[in-house]
């Protein structure tokens, strides 16, 4: 297998599972009796272990396996996790993330794991127990852990193991650890292999034998052997080999499953044939069939030696089972069975309402069948959550299948088909799709202009239909690019825990609205800004426990992370119930740094005062710590959010708390804009930043400190002359003493007698842009200006109009930063 073909998918799914492990560990720390969190932990760890082993990343699989083993006493109810235990487990997930990063960079799953394996092995031990542990116990590693029973085995290997057990053989999984610095480790591994082979047959090797011979393994490897020898003899033989540091043996035993796993027919089940051995989509089909009253039976069939036409015999078994129900799973796959590409053993899993005894008799009556073993498959406690809830991408299809189950002839088959409706698509392909559609939107606009110019009725009707269809296509393309902010929000519970512990605070994080969707490109960029705000809330916002108690507040502070959509925007809020922002302290710092004058400070609104916090290098912290105090956080937040076409507002009440509200556009590619004419050139103003458009009589313009202003319903709005700002060749309409005399006298040919003003709002500030005329609203496609012009911050980009001309899309904040200079900000 070329792992490069699957590496991207492996990395994505592994990170999802590590995020899930982090989340459930934190949930378990808050509620040690949360059995659902334990189940989810095991599901994620088990999946990660299996994927890592399949991809050949043995160290990552081993570390995940140790994490499972450390949690097993918690799952069985023998003990609960302590705070220190959670620290160790979280350190293990951190190491897993580091290993994934190394894999992504082509370095393999490198990284030392010995310290964590040792720490995980001691998890839950009392100090006295750790001191008094015997050397023999220290070398035992794994034991009869149920979760190891299918360690790296595929379906065919499990069948061989089952058959060996059925014949009364012992099957041992032998883990061998060589000493540090062992020379010729491959030769030592081969000696172990030969020693075990002398007892019986080697059924499995992890890593594969080729890797063992080439020394492509760490210090540990696992061999599975079938034998009639006793466990003690196996251990002794391996321990006698030079440079072997530790040996552990886990026996795979034929025994009834826990609880309800034993079938009513009395046929025993095997631990290696659990519900969780199957893939996720099979488990769901099984669960659906059981919901409809069916039983899931797995039949392992052994053909006699020297059978001719094995494929025909296997097909006869298949037909016999089809007479009792539906065959849902085959090992090996049906194509291999029909072609006879298997040894003597195969297994079929069937959903049926028939009696197990009748099914056994039907199969045994087929000639050349040597043995038949039947096991009933039921959800075990570890797999129950997966049977109840599938991955997010499968939920919608599953719900539809269930809704139609009552009228379908084959409900389980419908569910199975519905599950496969969901596919993964590479993000680059979505990006290309969006770019192609953007070109279509541009051509649509041009076609509309041409059709209106020609006035041909038939052409107009076709263009109208195309516009409607392309509008629906646009909504579809945009919806495909939308992803939930959950992937961003999931990283913060862990971060809040770590920061709170470092600061000695008790913090409760509340997350709401994580299902809210944004354009993928926006979601990729908002993680760091939100991280700064959350850290700021924990550090600056919340008081210490002593302060909160003195104020009559609960000792545990609350930080809320909330997302919700509104119109064409999404709002993300970071709230805390802490001390609030000290307005006077902020103003004092601002005056000291010369950001505001004392006389201005007295008149500033709260919103304007809080915006000072976003000034580069501004900080009110008295002490610089590893977490904050250098004034390099909030300005980064502002710059990043504004680069995404959003804005940040701050609301605070002393003693009650603070809210940082981020407003973001749903998408960055297509937006609504107001087209305006300034000096014969067309510019686009984003509608999201436009408060209103007005016509102002020239005589209503006043001058304050050489700045033209208007009074708009009691609010003083400074004016910016668009002609001067954009350096057009047309004469200016405003001067330092108000409206240009040529405008008021009406002597300028073609000049309107009124001033057309676009009122733009940014946080608590307003500015009026004087334009020559308003062309109208239009949906535009935003195009980048390219790397050469990336330093020009006055424009968000450019767009192509319906007549083929290029119009620049204005960054509204440029008017606030450069209004007093009347120049471009570069």
């Amino acid at each position: 297998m070329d792992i490069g073909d699957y590496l991207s998918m492996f990395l994505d799914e592994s990170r999802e599972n590590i995020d899930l492990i982090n989340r459930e560990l934190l949930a378990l720390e808050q509620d040690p009796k949360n059995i659902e969190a334990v189940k989810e932990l095991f599901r994620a760890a088990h999946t990660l272990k299996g994927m890592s082993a399949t991809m050949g990343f043995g160290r990552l699989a081993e570390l995940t396996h140790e994490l499972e083993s450390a949690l097993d006493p918690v799952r069985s109810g023998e003990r609960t996790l302590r705070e220190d235990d959670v620290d160790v487990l979280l350190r293990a997930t951190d190491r897993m993330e580091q290993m994934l990063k190394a894999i992504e960079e082509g370095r393999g799953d490198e990284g030392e794991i010995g310290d964590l394996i040792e720490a995980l092995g001691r998890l839950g031990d009392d100090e006295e127990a750790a001191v008094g542990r015997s050397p023999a116990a220290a070398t035992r590693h794994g034991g009869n852990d149920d979760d190891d029973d299918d360690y790296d085995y595929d379906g065919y290997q499990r069948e061989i193991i089952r058959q060996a057990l059925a014949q009364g053989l012992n099957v041992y999984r032998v883990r061998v650890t060589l000493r540090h610095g062992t020379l010729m480790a491959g030769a030592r591994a081969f000696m172990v292999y030969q020693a075990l082979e002398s007892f019986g047959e080697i059924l499995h090797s992890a890593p594969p034998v080729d890797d063992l011979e080439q020394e492509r393994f760490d210090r540990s490897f696992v061999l599975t052997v079938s034998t009639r020898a006793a466990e003690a003899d196996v251990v002794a033989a391996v321990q006698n080999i030079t440079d072997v540091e530790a040996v552990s043996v886990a026996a795979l035993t034929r025994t009834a499953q826990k609880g309800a796993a034993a079938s009513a027919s009395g046929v025993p089940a095997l631990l290696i044939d659990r519900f969780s051995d199957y893939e996720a989509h099979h488990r769901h089909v099984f669960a659906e069939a059981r919901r409809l009253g069916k039983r899931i039976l797995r039949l392992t069939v052994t053909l006699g030696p020297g059978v001719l036409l094995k494929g025909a015999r296997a097909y006869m078994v298949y037909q016999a089972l089809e007479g009792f129900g539906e065959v849902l799973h085959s090992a090996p796959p049906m194509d291999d069975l029909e072609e006879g590409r298997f040894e003597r053993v195969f297994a079929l899993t069937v959903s049926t309402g028939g009696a197990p005894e009748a099914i056994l008799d039907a199969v045994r009556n087929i000639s050349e069948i040597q043995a038949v073993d039947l096991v009933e498959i039921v959800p075990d406690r570890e797999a129950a959550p997966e049977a109840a809830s599938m991955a997010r991408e499968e939920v919608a299809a599953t719900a539809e299948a269930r809704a139609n189950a009552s009228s379908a002839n084959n409900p389980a088959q419908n569910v199975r088909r519905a599950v496969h409706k969901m596919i993964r698509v590479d993000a680059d392909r979505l990006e290309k799709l969006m770019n192609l559609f953007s070109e279509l939107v541009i051509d649509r606009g041009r076609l509309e202009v041409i059709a209106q110019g020609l006035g041909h009725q038939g052409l107009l009707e076709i263009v109208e239909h195309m516009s409607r269809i392309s509008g629906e296509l646009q909504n579809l393309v945009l919806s495909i690019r939308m992803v939930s902010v959950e992937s961003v929000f999931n990283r913060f519970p862990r971060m809040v825990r770590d920061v709170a512990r470092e600061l000695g605070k008790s913090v409760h994080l509340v997350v709401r609205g994580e299902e809210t969707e944004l354009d993928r490109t926006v979601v990729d960029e908002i993680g760091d800004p939100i991280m700064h705000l959350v850290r700021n809330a924990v550090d600056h916002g919340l008081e210490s426990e002593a302060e909160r108690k003195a104020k009559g507040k609960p000792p545990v502070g609350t930080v809320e992370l909330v997302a919700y959509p509104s119109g064409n925007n999404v709002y993300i809020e970071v709230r805390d119930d802490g001390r609030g922002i000290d307005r006077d302290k902020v103003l004092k710092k601002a005056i000291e740094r010369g950001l505001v004058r004392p006389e201005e400070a007295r008149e500033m609104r709260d919103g304007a005062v809080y915006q000072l916090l976003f000034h580069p290098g501004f900080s009110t912290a008295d002490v610089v710590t590893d977490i904050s105090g250098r004034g390099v956080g909030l300005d980064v937040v502002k710059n990043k959010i504004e680069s995404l076409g959003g804005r940040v507002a701050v609301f605070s009440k002393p003693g009650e708390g603070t809210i940082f509200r981020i407003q973001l556009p749903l998408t960055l590619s297509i937006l609504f804009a107001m087209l305006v004419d300034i000096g014969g050139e067309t510019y686009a103003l984003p509608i999201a930043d436009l408060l209103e458009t007005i016509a102002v009589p020239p005589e209503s313009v006043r001058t304050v400190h050489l700045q033209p202003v208007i009074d708009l319903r009691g609010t003083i709005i400074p004016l910016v002359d668009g002609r001067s700002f954009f350096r057009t060749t047309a004469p200016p309409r405003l001067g330092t003493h108000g409206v240009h005399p040529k405008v008021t006298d009406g002597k300028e040919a073609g000049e309107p007698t009124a001033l057309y003003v676009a009122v733009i709002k940014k946080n608590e500030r307003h500015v009026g842009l004087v334009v020559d005329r308003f062309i109208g609203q239009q949906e535009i496609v935003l195009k980048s200006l390219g790397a050469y012009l990336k330093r020009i911050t006055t424009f968000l980009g450019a767009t192509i109009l319906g007549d083929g001309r290029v119009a620049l899309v204005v960054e509204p904040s440029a008017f606030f930063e450069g209004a007093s200079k009347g120049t471009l900000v570069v």
Side-chain angles (χ1 to χ4, degrees), residues 327-342:
V327 177
L328 303 178
H329 181 268
S330 169
M334 277 305 304
D335 289 345
D336 290 343
L337 285 184
E338 293 176 356
E339 298 297 328
R341 292 192 295 267
F342 63 99

Side-chain angles (χ1 to χ4, degrees), residues 639-717:
N639 293 336
K640 174 59 72 174
I641 295 302
E642 289 184 350
S643 71
L644 296 173
R647 57 172 62 92
V648 186
V650 186
F651 308 90
S652 184
K653 287 186 179 180
E656 296 185 20
T658 303
I659 299 175
F660 284 85
R661 178 178 296 158
I662 299 174
Q663 177 185 337
L664 292 164
L666 283 174
T667 180
L668 300 181
S669 303
I670 298 177
L671 56 107
F672 286 93
M674 172 65 73
L675 301 182
V676 297
D677 179 15
I678 300 176
E681 296 289 340
T682 301
Y683 297 90
L685 301 175
I687 290 291
D689 298 287
L690 196 60
L691 185 63
E692 60 180 299
T693 58
I694 56 175
V696 179
E699 58 270 17
S700 64
V701 177
R702 300 289 184 266
T703 302
V704 178
H705 299 297
L706 302 181
Q707 170 69 58
V709 299
I710 59 173
D711 184 345
L712 181 62
R713 297 184 293 276
T715 301
I716 301 301
I717 308 292

Side-chain angles (χ1 to χ4, degrees), residues 4 14 82 110 188 195-196 222 300 522 535 561 567 573 594 635 744 813:
S14 296
R82 303 171 302 186
E110 64 178 31
R188 299 302 181 198
L196 292 179
V222 180
T300 301
V522 180
R535 288 167 67 95
L561 186 56
E573 295 184 355
D635 65 310
T744 56
S813 62

